[in-house]
Amino acid sequence: MSKTKKTTIVLFSGDYDKAMAAYIIANGAAAYDHEVTIFHTFWGLNALRKAESMEVKKGFMEKLFGKMMPRGVDKMGLSKMNFAGFGPKMIKKVMKKHNAMSLPNLMEMAQEQDVKLVACTMTMDLLGLQKEELLDDIEYAGVAAYLGDAEDGNVNLFI
Amino acid sequence: MSKTKKTTIVLFSGDYDKAMAAYIIANGAAAYDHEVTIFHTFWGLNALRKAESMEVKKGFMEKLFGKMMPRGVDKMGLSKMNFAGFGPKMIKKVMKKHNAMSLPNLMEMAQEQDVKLVACTMTMDLLGLQKEELLDDIEYAGVAAYLGDAEDGNVNLFI
Amino acid sequence: MSKTKKTTIVLFSGDYDKAMAAYIIANGAAAYDHEVTIFHTFWGLNALRKAESMEVKKGFMEKLFGKMMPRGVDKMGLSKMNFAGFGPKMIKKVMKKHNAMSLPNLMEMAQEQDVKLVACTMTMDLLGLQKEELLDDIEYAGVAAYLGDAEDGNVNLFI
């Protein structure tokens, strides 16, 4: 009797390329029948933001953070060679040329494969992000839930 | 008979937000009775620096490094949206507002929970850091000791 | 009967200091008889580039990427305190002073210890890198092969 394998990824980074790496590994692991969780925390939460601005009540600082941070993966920059937004455009063009899946597609695929997408509630508070601003069908949890998953994980990564 | 679970974190980064993530996970794991080690290497060593300047003998380059690197977590910047030091101020304000623990408090809590704080001796040499400059009650070790802990670890992260 | 332990490292970063950390851990693990794999993806592929420019046919964007990215570890910058290339020079000087192994030496040692160096074929495509441009005696694989190694890994890190 073999046990289901588990992969957990903490997505801390808000960079397009790192989020791509996280979702490629997650989709790969799900294809191998792993139970997969991506725990989005700090800047990684931005990957879960809806593209449109939502009407939510916020304090001044939370509004400021909200404005400065990218709304969703398509607004995110690269960890290297970002060149004020030119880098991501290049990468996306090359990906299209090579028929590679875009990050929004990788995220859809992850949801179809039942990868558990979790938003870290503690850092949502810190950055002033509210549930209305994040994608539907995700889960909300804290570090305890993450550790519960990770302590039985076969592959645990911090990205 | 259940074995004690183990969490090991390599803290390579010298960013305030990444160090926060490391110490939040470490404290969480310790609360779940994991044996926890944070192995501070490269820029992560700066988290262990005392705030005050210490009288130690150093070569020219080591002095230069010492001056340019932050003395302790309160001087560290953010990995994103640092804005020449304004970002960390904002984050600290929001943390206070939400009654979140500051990084120095998280570090104290970790020590009270017997999280093993280790300074990597090899990179201390490289960056010219001496024991007198680092916090008391920490341990000193190299990559071999890290691997000894990590190879039995349930959760191993590189931050 | 004890099983061979396994360490797998995803080297995503193209920074000199992070690549050093990856290769130091890899060499340490190999010395402890772990089976070790470093899976180079995205900017980490640059660590595997040959120093000289190779004659290969490329599209315009691939040429541009090729020109902008460092050819091999000796051209890579630091993740912190890079100072337009002055930081790496300082680090290399200090390493020499302390008789620490340089990154090219660490890579040679890894190959002598049979650390498996893998280049991620999918991101090679994206960045327009061809086999002729990368070091000899490395392997080529995708995320599936990485996961096959990692799911039995004792120490799995994303750097």
Side-chain angles (χ1 to χ4, degrees):
Chain A
M1 199 196 77
S2 81
K3 231 180 57 177
T4 305
K5 303 230 169 185
K6 264 190 183 188
T7 292
T8 76
I9 295 171
V10 177
L11 181 57
F12 172 96
S13 164
D15 299 316
Y16 191 88
D17 44 350
K18 290 200 169 173
M20 261 189 74
Y23 275 90
I24 290 170
I25 294 172
N27 278 316
Y32 279 88
D33 296 321
H34 284 214
E35 250 180 72
V36 187
T37 302
I38 306 183
F39 186 79
H40 300 73
T41 188
F42 283 88
W43 320 107
L45 285 169
N46 291 320
L48 299 175
R49 285 180 87 187
K50 291 175 182 156
E52 65 270 31
S53 170
M54 304 301 289
E55 287 280 339
V56 285
K57 264 199 168 165
K58 291 194 184 187
F60 174 73
M61 299 246 282
E62 285 80 359
K63 256 187 205 152
L64 200 58
F65 267 124
K67 283 219 171 123
M68 290 186 304
M69 295 188 306
R71 281 209 187 83
V73 289
D74 258 338
K75 306 283 170 34
M76 283 163 34
L78 294 181
S79 67
K80 284 266 162 205
M81 305 211 308
N82 190 51
F83 300 126
F86 180 65
K89 284 212 182 91
M90 273 180 73
I91 284 276
K92 286 175 203 171
K93 248 192 180 149
V94 181
M95 281 166 65
K96 221 171 171 175
K97 188 174 152 187
H98 288 279
N99 295 315
M101 286 178 89
S102 71
L103 184 42
N105 287 351
L106 285 168
M107 290 179 72
E108 249 179 72
M109 193 192 191
Q111 287 194 296
E112 276 168 25
Q113 292 200 92
D114 292 321
V115 170
K116 197 164 75 182
L117 304 186
V118 184
C120 167
T121 46
M122 196 209 90
T123 45
M124 278 175 68
D125 267 6
L126 279 190
L127 301 179
L129 291 172
Q130 297 177 21
K131 291 189 182 182
E132 288 81 1
E133 298 176 87
L134 302 188
L135 298 182
D136 304 322
D137 302 319
I138 62 172
E139 297 183 26
Y140 297 88
V143 69
Y146 161 68
L147 283 163
D149 281 330
E151 70 178 21
D152 303 319
N154 298 75
V155 182
N156 296 319
L157 303 171
F158 184 99
I159 297 186
Chain B
M1 198 196 78
S2 81
K3 232 181 56 178
T4 304
K5 303 231 170 185
K6 264 191 183 185
T7 292
T8 75
I9 296 172
V10 177
L11 182 55
F12 172 96
S13 164
D15 299 317
Y16 190 89
D17 42 352
K18 289 200 169 172
M20 261 189 73
Y23 274 91
I24 289 170
I25 294 171
N27 278 315
Y32 278 88
D33 296 322
H34 285 212
E35 251 180 71
V36 187
T37 303
I38 306 182
F39 185 79
H40 300 71
T41 187
F42 283 88
W43 320 106
L45 285 168
N46 290 320
L48 299 175
R49 285 181 87 186
K50 291 175 182 157
E52 65 270 29
S53 171
M54 305 301 290
E55 289 279 339
V56 283
K57 263 200 169 164
K58 291 194 185 188
F60 173 73
M61 298 246 283
E62 284 80 359
K63 255 187 205 153
L64 199 59
F65 267 124
K67 281 219 170 120
M68 290 186 304
M69 296 188 305
R71 279 209 188 82
V73 288
D74 258 339
K75 305 279 168 39
M76 282 163 35
L78 294 181
S79 66
K80 285 266 161 203
M81 305 213 305
N82 190 50
F83 300 126
F86 180 65
K89 284 213 182 90
M90 272 181 73
I91 283 276
K92 286 174 201 170
K93 247 194 179 148
V94 181
M95 282 166 67
K96 218 169 173 178
K97 188 175 150 187
H98 288 278
N99 295 315
M101 285 178 91
S102 70
L103 184 42
N105 287 350
L106 285 167
M107 290 180 71
E108 249 179 72
M109 195 193 189
Q111 288 194 296
E112 276 167 25
Q113 291 200 94
D114 293 320
V115 171
K116 195 163 75 180
L117 304 185
V118 183
C120 167
T121 45
M122 195 210 90
T123 44
M124 281 176 65
D125 266 7
L126 278 191
L127 301 178
L129 291 172
Q130 297 179 21
K131 292 189 180 183
E132 289 81 0
E133 299 177 88
L134 301 188
L135 298 182
D136 304 322
D137 302 320
I138 62 173
E139 298 182 27
Y140 296 88
V143 69
Y146 161 69
L147 283 164
D149 281 331
E151 69 177 23
D152 303 320
N154 299 75
V155 183
N156 296 320
L157 303 171
F158 184 99
I159 297 186
Chain C
M1 197 196 77
S2 82
K3 230 182 54 176
T4 304
K5 303 231 171 185
K6 264 190 182 186
T7 291
T8 74
I9 295 172
V10 178
L11 182 55
F12 171 97
S13 164
D15 299 317
Y16 191 88
D17 43 353
K18 289 199 169 173
M20 260 189 74
Y23 275 89
I24 290 170
I25 294 172
N27 278 315
Y32 278 89
D33 296 321
H34 284 215
E35 248 181 72
V36 187
T37 303
I38 307 183
F39 185 79
H40 300 72
T41 188
F42 283 88
W43 321 106
L45 284 169
N46 291 320
L48 299 176
R49 285 180 88 186
K50 291 176 183 156
E52 66 270 30
S53 170
M54 304 301 290
E55 287 280 339
V56 283
K57 263 201 168 163
K58 291 195 185 187
F60 174 73
M61 299 247 284
E62 286 79 1
K63 256 186 205 155
L64 199 60
F65 267 124
K67 282 218 171 121
M68 290 185 306
M69 297 188 304
R71 281 211 185 81
V73 291
D74 256 339
K75 303 281 170 37
M76 283 163 33
L78 293 181
S79 67
K80 286 263 162 210
M81 306 211 307
N82 190 51
F83 300 127
F86 180 65
K89 285 213 181 90
M90 272 181 73
I91 284 277
K92 286 175 201 171
K93 245 192 180 151
V94 181
M95 281 165 66
K96 218 168 174 179
K97 188 173 152 188
H98 288 278
N99 296 315
M101 285 178 91
S102 71
L103 184 42
N105 287 351
L106 284 168
M107 290 179 72
E108 249 180 74
M109 193 193 191
Q111 287 194 295
E112 275 168 25
Q113 290 200 91
D114 292 321
V115 170
K116 195 164 75 183
L117 305 187
V118 184
C120 168
T121 46
M122 196 209 89
T123 46
M124 279 176 67
D125 266 6
L126 279 190
L127 301 177
L129 292 171
Q130 297 178 21
K131 291 188 181 182
E132 288 82 0
E133 299 177 87
L134 303 188
L135 298 182
D136 304 323
D137 302 320
I138 62 173
E139 298 183 27
Y140 296 88
V143 69
Y146 161 68
L147 283 163
D149 282 331
E151 70 176 22
D152 303 319
N154 299 75
V155 182
N156 294 320
L157 303 172
F158 184 99
I159 296 186

